[in-house]
Amino acid sequence: MHLVHTGADWHNYWLESLKNGKSIALVPTMGALHEGHLDLVRKAKLEADIVVVSIFVNPTQFNNQEDFNNYPSTIDEDLAKLRNENVDFVFIPDTETIYPEKPKLSINFGELETVLEGAFRPGHFNGVGIVVSKLFNIIKPTKAFFGQKDLQQTGIIKRLVKDLSLNIELTIVPTRREDDGLAMSSRNLRLSPAERDQALILISSLTKAKQELLAGKQWFEVQNQITRDFRETPLATLEYFELIHPDSFMVYTDFDFNQKSSICVAAYLGKIRLIDNLPIIP
Ligand code: PAF
């Protein structure tokens, strides 16, 4: 496994791969790797000749400085896990490499900015859009792999690829969950034991809402009940619990069996913000 720190370092490897007609998969991450990330890596290994995993905690996508400062970093363990998966390259740039200057460009994803993560984390998708564009331009992958847990992020990146005519095939990999259903997330490492217990409200509210919708209950009743459930969970603070179209992210006010839908949730457990989602009508 080669560690690569700059675009110039990578360039020669890239040229060689190109000459040999090899496909290149990129798995962008911010480190603190868990089995969810490794699912992306395993899928990438099956679908491309060369797998590059990037590890870069991107400062511009954090709208909360404390969240950035406390973002978990487990680089030695990460590298050991990636070695174990026979990853070919790990791209670990420093901030100067990615941001020699503060970008003047900003990306506005239109109505995607106005709902869910876009509404609650102003500037977040601009930061994601810029860094993913940079990673795509530096690594020049033929394929890239992202997790479904960040559903709206996958929508943003699909838009980026479409709107900029990037020749990159995207694969979205299903959310990996702990045995009790909690979606795997690097931020779970920061939960206290009590917060970890109460974090189960995310998946339990999603599954309860799905059952009730499919049994014919009105969406507004379901949403109100879930809001009350969160109020009764002392360490949890609900930010949103919305029924949306999983491609346009349009927020529905009613449930319709004939329309694609997913529910997205974001909540704080203490100071840790977690998100999750569940398809209702895929
Ligand atoms: O999903 C993440 O870990 C990050 O948002 C990404 C895609 C690596 C960009 O920094």
Side-chain angles (χ1 to χ4, degrees):
M1 187 172 84
H2 300 278
L3 302 192
V4 174
H5 297 277
T6 66
D9 287 350
W10 166 246
H11 190 72
N12 290 332
Y13 292 118
W14 173 73
L15 273 180
E16 203 177 303
S17 316
L18 196 69
K19 254 194 285 169
N20 298 328
K22 307 250 186 210
S23 57
I24 300 173
L26 173 64
V27 181
T29 80
M30 297 205 297
L33 302 181
H34 50 67
E35 281 296 314
H37 294 111
L38 299 183
D39 282 350
L40 305 185
V41 169
R42 288 168 195 145
K43 186 95 177 123
K45 288 285 298 177
L46 290 176
E47 294 189 8
D49 302 316
I50 291 179
V51 173
V52 182
V53 175
S54 64
I55 300 182
F56 178 64
V57 183
N58 173 36
T60 66
Q61 72 185 74
F62 286 81
N63 56 319
N64 174 334
Q65 189 63 32
E66 196 183 334
D67 188 26
F68 173 63
N69 294 341
N70 293 319
Y71 199 81
S73 168
T74 55
I75 191 70
D76 294 339
E77 289 95 321
D78 292 352
L79 294 177
K81 286 176 187 170
L82 296 177
R83 216 167 264 124
N84 205 31
E85 298 297 330
N86 292 319
V87 162
D88 304 283
F89 294 91
V90 185
F91 180 56
I92 324 180
D94 60 19
T95 309
E96 275 290 292
T97 301
I98 297 293
Y99 296 111
E101 285 182 41
K102 190 170 186 281
K104 295 220 193 306
L105 174 75
S106 70
I107 309 179
N108 184 322
F109 290 92
E111 64 279 5
L112 285 174
E113 296 271 352
T114 63
V115 291
L116 314 176
E117 296 302 282
F120 281 90
R121 301 186 68 190
H124 170 64
F125 286 136
N126 172 53
V128 172
I130 296 272
V131 81
V132 170
S133 304
K134 282 174 177 271
L135 293 169
F136 283 172
N137 281 326
I138 295 169
I139 304 299
K140 300 184 249 314
T142 36
K143 302 178 180 203
F145 294 75
F146 295 89
Q148 196 188 328
K149 186 182 73 72
D150 297 296
L151 185 67
Q152 202 179 1
Q153 171 172 280
T154 65
I156 294 289
I157 291 161
K158 283 180 192 164
R159 249 355 299 177
L160 197 71
V161 165
K162 229 183 235 158
D163 290 357
L164 297 178
S165 307
L166 304 179
N167 194 12
I168 299 174
E169 191 187 309
L170 298 178
T171 300
I172 311 304
V173 178
T175 304
R176 176 67 94 101
R177 297 182 181 281
E178 304 287 354
D179 290 344
D180 59 8
L182 182 68
M184 289 195 184
S185 162
S186 305
R187 289 185 175 85
N188 292 351
L189 290 175
R190 297 186 49 215
L191 296 169
S192 70
E195 289 162 353
R196 170 67 182 79
D197 280 353
Q198 294 188 22
L200 286 179
I201 188 168
L202 273 85
I203 184 60
S204 65
S205 61
L206 289 169
T207 43
K208 177 173 167 183
K210 179 171 181 171
Q211 274 164 10
E212 293 188 341
L213 284 177
L214 297 181
K217 215 169 183 182
Q218 297 274 330
W219 168 243
F220 79 90
E221 286 178 83
V222 173
Q223 198 181 30
N224 286 343
Q225 180 57 55
I226 297 294
T227 307
R228 284 194 294 275
D229 292 348
F230 269 89
R231 280 203 203 106
E232 285 161 17
T233 307
L235 301 179
T237 310
L238 180 63
E239 246 184 12
Y240 61 74
F241 191 84
E242 298 286 3
L243 183 68
I244 54 112
H245 188 289
D247 304 323
S248 69
F249 292 88
M250 188 186 79
V251 175
Y252 291 124
T253 47
D254 296 313
F255 174 63
D256 181 343
F257 278 93
N258 298 312
Q259 276 182 320
K260 278 170 88 172
S261 58
S262 290
I263 301 177
C264 293
V265 60
Y268 279 91
L269 276 297
K271 289 185 163 183
I272 312 304
R273 188 174 183 279
L274 300 179
I275 58 173
D276 200 355
N277 65 84
L278 197 66
I280 308 300
I281 307 287

